[in-house]
Amino acid sequence: MKKQQLQDTAAFAVAEAKRLGATDCEIGIQAGESFQIGVRNGDVEELQGSQSRGLELTVFVGQRHATVSSADFRRRSLTRLIRDAIATAKVSDEDPSAGMAEPEHLAKEVPELDLYDPAIERITVADRIRIARQCEAAAMAADPRITQSSGASFSDNRGVVVLANSRGFVGSYAGSMVSISASVVAEADQQMQVGSWYSVSRKLAGLESPELVGKIAGEHAARQLGGRSVASQVVPVVFDPQMAARLVGQFVGAASGAHVYRKSSFLHDKFGQMVASPLVTIVDDPLIPGGLGSRPFDAEALPSRRREIVSEGKLAAHLIGVYAARMLKTAPNGQGTSNLYLQAGTLTPEEIIGSVQNGLYLTGVSGPGFNATTGDYSVGASGFWIENGKLAYPVEGITIASNVVAMFNGIEAIGNDLVFRGGTNAPTVKIRSMTIAGKASS
Amino acid sequence: MKNSKKDVSRELHRLFGLTTDQVESVIGLALKGTPANSFCDIYFQAGSSEALSWDQGRLKGSSRDVVAGAGVRVVVGDKVGFWPIDKVDITGLKRAAKVARQIADYAQKEIVPPARAAAPQHNLYDVALSPTTVPLADRTALLKAIDAETRKHDARIQNVSVKLSVENYTIIVANSLGQFLVDERPLLHVSVSALAREGDRTELGSSGGGGRIPFAALANDQVWKQHAQLAAEQAILLLSAAPAPAGEMTVVLGSGWPGVLLHEAVGHGLEGDFNRKGTSAFARRMGERVASPLVTVIDDGTLADRRGSLNFDDEGTPTTQTVLIENGILKGYMHDRQNAQLMGMALTGNARRQSYAHLPMPRMTNTFMAGGQHDPEEIIRSVKYGLYAEAFGGGEVDITNGNYTFSATVAWLIEDGRKTRPVKGATLLGNGPKSLHHVSMVGNDMALDKGIGMCGKDGQRVPVGVGMSTVRIDNVTVGGSQN
């Protein structure tokens, strides 16, 4: 569906809501196409795709509101949907903090961020299959101990986002995403290990080569073979970039505005205070051209701005959406994150591992294991044991635990290996000490 | 049970303006030119889900998602073509059929014929009144009452968040074997979070439940008051909890929701797809001992009112009771149609999908351990030093190496056979084919969870149930921070 048609639908919905008695209305629309092919053992195993669309609409009647969503864009259906939403809003409770963004806080422009690649429209099914097969073949060839494939895939999606509200905001942008991935199993001594890897980009040309992605997937499976437990002890833990990114995402989640007004996280009252080692600067930047998480405005029509969440260890911002801003009597700066990253340091990952006499290099975690209220952290872990600054042998069947406050204060080194692989990104990170639970330490 | 072709025909027309003849013609089109024994199904879904959230002493939001869509799938041996549509009409279905059948270009020519499923006979959740028709005022009143009840428990409760979700979907499954089935699937869920504060300690407690039940069953005083009380008690208990110990020790798991252990330790690893592909730690181990003789694990989609139950699965196969492990011996896998067919095994009614826009996969329904002989108190008394855990969050498993985790939210130390001090939550860790050998006692207090389970696989979420008696397991790795 064309962008103009979607904008017309949005304009109709906003006007219709006002006509039917809403005092305010906002609507978000997404429409797009996706396609995915999966191969396994060289054969095409799965072809799937869709043309889909959806709208989410919030109506306000004074300080009462209701949200509805649907994929039915027919005008008559929209009228019925809006009428139901208004009826629901009218019997909801009044909430003095409810309401859309104040006009002065709305985004004033829609910056061009280079989020759409028309080349993806032209890629053929045969090309997709060829690339996925190359990826799988490279994974299978990466190590002689790889015995089975869980498959490789090529996926892409393209779409348009439209956001409009009754306070005069209308914005839209097109975005695209393409990804490849592979997953294989290595086997030795009656032990099996799975390894996976992927590449994702806004642009076809931004994908890593299928050979490289496959090779890394294969290496990930093979390197974990022979994994064993270690004795319970307290040691330094080096988080690889994937694990560090996950940790950064969990930490920043505790800085949400809802946690502040509920006083429900360990960061709720720490604004302006040291919450991490001075090495730590965490940034959210929605304006990176072509960034995976980039967007010209957010879901509440607030402008996109680069924010430092943590500046040299100090908590520099909470993530404040429109509702939280009213609860806290402050201005909103946006409730979500876009391209979130821990700023790179100067050491190579090898130097960081080299600084550890006896500790864990963490490459995998399992389980939720994080309590945003207290910061308590406990997860299943796998990776490699570090002896005298070198990766000595693979480790699995252990847990690592601490509290996130102690962990972030205990960040002793940050790598120079920051690569943007998704919405949340980090380089290698070394944490001074965590408790490992493993075999009885006899 | 309204499941004659006439019933299906009426619902198809009411919800999508289609006739069964039209649907049959789409199925015919989808299989045109495909190899013999190819299979096609169309899954129609119409209805809505609604969520209310309560926070800071007031109704904070209401949302309603209206769904009407269909997914056309063509299965040719181990190949699948799939195209869902969210604007359902004959033109859209025909286009979807033509795209989905393209998979046949990549398929081999020799295909095992698809198995015929028995006719559905269950009527597991006959809810006269759809939960989505319950007036908002009644639902809001329940949230308000839960808030008050939770706060009443203790002055240290500072905030109460409650989420109530209700849904009701009509599902129509039509396939190339001539099956036409309709089911109406209600689902309710309430979750309560209590935030307690004392000095500089803040802790969160939670509880919840639900099922394929009428709203009145949830609004029953004894039911919702229990959730309020459990959430509050947990938050208060955590205020005085010490860090959990770290290392291998004996763990006693309480009855009910701790059965999430089984879901992670053995459930996922016994789903048909991973075993057909040989990527599960349980692959090729049928008939072998994988657990202590005390352990019998069953997946049962036929339990009345349960969250994980279905009259028929998302491919139209009646749900069944499947014994996965019997007295420690591996007995069965859970299957969808495709994997059962490719492995030459019987259908078990475990094909599930998140929605019309997702492909079905083998999934669990309600997975539990059969009860044993021991009195729960006796089990705790038998432990010199260990951990007693009764409240859990979720879990996760690596099905290939078998390592799994599940996280306790609150636990007690057991010292000299007595529960002594509360300790904070910690991740518990084990290995699927190995750790259930260490189950040394099974209680006589088998209970199912209260209806909170949500299982994720390949990005698809489906509601599930779990259950277990009080169980003693030795040599569990406990991921506390106190070394």
Side-chain angles (χ1 to χ4, degrees):
Chain A
M1 201 184 273
K2 301 270 185 325
K3 198 194 264 187
Q4 188 56 48
Q5 274 176 293
L6 297 175
Q7 287 189 354
D8 291 348
T9 300
F12 167 80
V14 170
E16 189 71 347
K18 295 283 274 192
R19 186 179 74 82
L20 293 169
T23 49
D24 262 321
C25 170
E26 70 184 355
I27 178 170
I29 299 179
Q30 294 201 19
E33 293 177 33
S34 69
F35 197 75
Q36 177 178 331
I37 71 111
V39 302
R40 197 169 71 91
N41 299 328
D43 289 340
V44 177
E45 190 179 55
E46 193 178 295
L47 278 178
Q48 61 167 310
S50 67
Q51 284 175 312
S52 65
R53 56 189 188 167
L55 63 85
E56 186 177 276
L57 181 136
T58 300
V59 296
F60 294 87
V61 181
Q63 297 305 116
R64 303 167 199 268
H65 65 111
T67 299
V68 289
S69 53
S70 168
D72 187 346
F73 282 46
R74 288 171 297 182
R75 298 279 157 108
R76 207 172 32 159
S77 309
L78 282 175
T79 298
R80 194 176 333 124
L81 191 74
I82 292 165
R83 191 170 279 144
D84 287 353
I86 290 173
T88 303
K90 282 181 173 166
V91 295
S92 295
D93 290 355
E94 282 215 338
D95 184 343
S97 298
M100 288 170 10
E102 299 301 331
E104 67 268 29
H105 292 142
L106 291 170
K108 301 292 183 290
E109 52 192 24
V110 180
E112 168 53 47
L113 296 173
D114 197 18
L115 305 178
Y116 186 82
D117 180 14
I120 296 172
E121 294 166 23
R122 293 190 291 271
I123 188 160
T124 63
V125 172
D127 283 339
R128 292 174 163 106
I129 292 170
R130 180 179 48 77
I131 292 168
R133 278 182 175 146
Q134 284 169 344
C135 194
E136 188 192 40
M140 293 301 289
D143 190 287
R145 294 167 294 176
I146 292 167
T147 55
Q148 295 162 79
S149 172
S150 296
S153 71
F154 184 106
S155 316
D156 57 85
N157 64 69
R158 296 173 283 127
V160 175
V161 173
V162 174
L163 187 65
N165 68 31
S166 54
R167 295 185 174 178
F169 180 86
V170 185
S172 68
Y173 61 96
S176 59
M177 200 84 88
V178 56
S179 66
I180 54 176
S181 68
S183 178
V184 292
V185 173
E187 223 168 328
D189 302 326
Q190 307 208 319
Q191 193 195 54
M192 291 199 297
Q193 297 289 355
V194 69
S196 310
W197 196 238
Y198 69 99
S199 173
V200 54
S201 173
R202 292 271 185 190
K203 301 192 171 191
L204 200 55
L207 278 183
E208 288 164 346
S209 82
E211 289 82 5
L212 177 67
V213 170
K215 183 165 172 283
I216 294 172
E219 286 169 358
H220 280 181
R223 71 180 184 177
Q224 210 59 42
L225 283 169
R228 58 186 200 258
S229 182
V230 295
S232 300
Q233 55 195 300
V234 177
V235 292
V237 178
V238 177
F239 282 56
D240 84 1
Q242 308 296 306
M243 296 303 108
R246 186 179 189 271
L247 183 64
V248 166
Q250 289 172 321
F251 184 85
V252 170
S256 78
H259 278 309
V260 181
Y261 67 71
R262 283 188 201 127
K263 301 186 173 67
S264 58
S265 90
F266 63 93
L267 289 179
H268 84 86
D269 56 352
K270 297 287 186 292
F271 179 75
Q273 298 180 31
M274 291 299 286
V275 294
S277 139
L279 298 174
V280 175
T281 292
I282 300 173
V283 178
D284 183 56
D285 187 356
L287 298 173
I288 297 173
L292 285 163
S294 296
R295 44 170 166 68
F297 49 83
D298 82 356
E300 296 186 297
L302 299 175
S304 285
R305 276 187 294 243
R306 180 182 186 276
R307 289 174 296 179
E308 284 196 359
I309 315 290
V310 176
S311 299
E312 297 178 352
K314 197 177 283 182
L315 184 63
H318 284 111
L319 308 171
I320 310 286
V322 171
Y323 185 84
R326 287 214 184 82
M327 290 290 282
L328 299 167
K329 299 186 170 45
T330 181
N333 65 1
Q335 62 187 343
T337 61
S338 54
N339 299 298
L340 183 70
Y341 63 94
L342 172 63
Q343 221 161 60
T346 52
L347 299 171
T348 65
E350 293 73 25
E351 285 171 324
I352 293 176
I353 292 166
S355 74
V356 176
Q357 286 305 299
N358 181 53
L360 176 68
Y361 179 62
L362 181 74
T363 61
V365 295
S366 166
F370 168 62
N371 181 332
T373 306
T374 59
D376 290 335
Y377 185 92
S378 166
V379 293
S382 58
F384 299 86
W385 202 251
I386 308 173
E387 279 174 356
N388 302 319
K390 294 262 185 299
L391 301 186
Y393 54 87
V395 177
E396 65 174 48
I398 60 169
T399 61
I400 54 172
S402 181
N403 184 284
V404 165
V405 176
M407 289 163 70
F408 272 76
N409 279 301
I411 290 180
E412 287 186 337
I414 296 180
N416 62 1
D417 52 340
L418 174 66
V419 177
F420 285 79
R421 303 197 64 84
T424 303
N425 307 280
T428 300
V429 164
K430 178 187 174 190
I431 290 173
R432 186 184 304 125
S433 77
M434 295 185 71
T435 304
I436 306 242
K439 292 183 295 197
S441 48
S442 55
Chain B
M1 178 92 222
K2 45 162 202 178
N3 236 324
S4 70
K5 194 161 172 180
K6 210 172 100 196
D7 295 314
V8 181
S9 167
R10 190 190 57 237
E11 291 297 284
L12 254 181
H13 191 263
R14 180 176 71 87
L15 297 166
F16 299 102
L18 295 166
T19 65
T20 48
D21 285 351
Q22 284 177 314
V23 172
E24 277 173 341
S25 77
V26 171
I27 291 172
L29 182 67
L31 292 183
K32 199 173 155 196
T34 62
N37 294 327
S38 296
F39 174 84
C40 169
D41 64 6
I42 308 179
Y43 180 95
F44 296 89
Q45 179 183 14
S48 65
S49 66
E50 303 182 17
L52 295 184
S53 61
W54 180 279
D55 188 42
Q56 304 277 301
R58 65 163 61 91
L59 184 69
K60 191 178 160 194
S62 78
S63 63
R64 173 163 175 261
D65 184 31
V66 182
V67 173
V72 179
R73 180 175 68 138
V74 173
V75 184
V76 189
D78 60 352
K79 322 292 188 210
V80 183
F82 181 58
W83 195 269
I85 54 175
D86 53 23
K87 185 171 166 234
V88 183
D89 54 24
I90 188 69
T91 317
L93 284 172
K94 281 182 173 168
R95 194 181 315 127
K98 287 183 196 163
V99 189
R101 79 176 180 207
Q102 287 175 12
I103 191 67
D105 298 348
Y106 307 97
Q108 66 278 55
K109 302 296 170 216
E110 294 294 315
I111 295 155
V112 187
R116 286 190 180 272
Q121 48 206 313
H122 310 310
N123 192 8
L124 302 171
Y125 32 84
D126 193 10
V127 175
L129 190 68
S130 162
T132 57
T133 62
V134 174
L136 186 71
D138 294 2
R139 287 184 245 171
T140 309
L142 175 64
L143 300 187
K144 190 172 184 171
I146 291 174
D147 178 288
E149 181 72 18
T150 311
R151 288 176 195 267
K152 201 174 82 183
H153 185 81
D154 194 294
R156 289 168 289 179
I157 304 291
Q158 303 286 308
N159 187 35
V160 180
S161 302
V162 193
K163 286 202 165 57
L164 173 67
S165 55
V166 300
E167 65 178 54
N168 199 51
Y169 290 109
T170 302
I171 302 299
I172 297 168
V173 177
N175 67 31
S176 54
L177 301 174
Q179 272 189 304
F180 271 90
L181 298 168
V182 59
D183 195 17
E184 192 170 328
R185 298 178 175 174
L187 187 65
L188 266 84
H189 176 239
V190 69
S191 64
V192 186
S193 299
L195 190 79
R197 190 172 302 117
E198 185 174 28
D200 58 358
R201 286 283 292 268
T202 306
E203 295 284 352
L204 195 67
S206 59
S207 180
R212 301 191 185 280
I213 51 175
F215 180 75
L218 193 68
N220 175 312
D221 278 4
Q222 283 176 349
V223 175
W224 66 262
K225 281 187 179 174
Q226 194 189 20
H227 295 313
Q229 182 172 348
L230 285 170
E233 277 176 4
Q234 198 184 99
I236 297 300
L237 183 68
L238 281 167
L239 285 175
S240 62
E248 265 187 7
M249 65 192 74
T250 294
V251 171
V252 177
L253 300 173
S255 67
W257 177 243
V260 68
L261 160 76
L262 307 166
H263 181 100
E264 306 299 351
V266 300
H268 280 296
L270 297 178
E271 290 166 342
D273 45 356
F274 302 127
N275 288 282
R276 171 172 68 86
K277 295 176 184 174
T279 55
S280 165
F282 287 100
R284 300 175 289 271
R285 301 196 59 177
M286 195 59 81
E288 291 182 23
R289 172 164 296 285
V290 295
S292 131
L294 300 173
V295 175
T296 291
V297 181
I298 295 159
D299 182 82
D300 191 345
T302 72
L303 302 168
D305 304 336
R306 303 297 307 178
R307 191 172 159 79
S309 297
L310 293 172
N311 288 325
F312 52 81
D313 75 4
D314 290 330
E315 294 179 322
T317 306
T319 50
T320 57
Q321 187 185 72
T322 307
V323 177
L324 305 175
I325 295 172
E326 189 173 29
N327 302 324
I329 307 297
L330 182 56
K331 289 283 182 181
Y333 297 133
M334 290 166 281
H335 280 304
D336 63 354
R337 188 171 260 295
Q338 186 188 30
N339 288 289
Q341 194 177 327
L342 291 166
M343 291 180 82
M345 299 175 90
L347 299 173
T348 60
N350 286 88
R352 304 188 63 189
R353 60 205 292 173
Q354 180 174 312
S355 78
Y356 72 90
H358 297 83
L359 275 170
M361 293 184 277
R363 302 293 293 260
M364 284 171 262
T365 60
N366 306 293
T367 314
F368 59 91
M369 189 191 291
Q373 302 297 319
H374 288 282
D375 177 59
E377 292 301 318
E378 187 189 344
I379 295 177
I380 293 169
R381 274 201 306 275
S382 76
V383 179
K384 174 94 177 123
Y385 178 83
L387 201 69
Y388 175 78
E390 60 183 357
F392 279 85
E396 188 175 344
V397 62
D398 177 329
I399 49 112
T400 302
N401 63 23
N403 291 330
Y404 66 87
T405 54
F406 61 126
S407 55
T409 44
V410 56
W412 293 79
L413 279 186
I414 307 175
E415 293 167 297
D416 293 325
R418 285 175 45 243
K419 286 185 346 191
T420 53
R421 288 172 289 153
V423 293
K424 290 185 168 212
T427 289
L428 307 189
L429 177 143
N431 182 275
K434 292 179 189 157
S435 55
L436 295 191
H437 289 283
H438 301 294
V439 171
S440 53
M441 294 170 101
V442 176
N444 56 14
D445 56 339
M446 156 60 195
L448 296 166
D449 74 284
K450 295 193 176 68
I452 55 172
M454 186 62 101
C455 167
K457 175 176 172 182
D458 282 357
Q460 288 195 44
R461 289 157 63 79
V462 297
V464 295
V466 299
M468 198 164 70
S469 313
T470 299
V471 163
R472 173 181 158 149
I473 313 178
D474 302 316
N475 309 105
V476 177
T477 301
V478 176
S481 58
Q482 228 28 33
N483 190 36

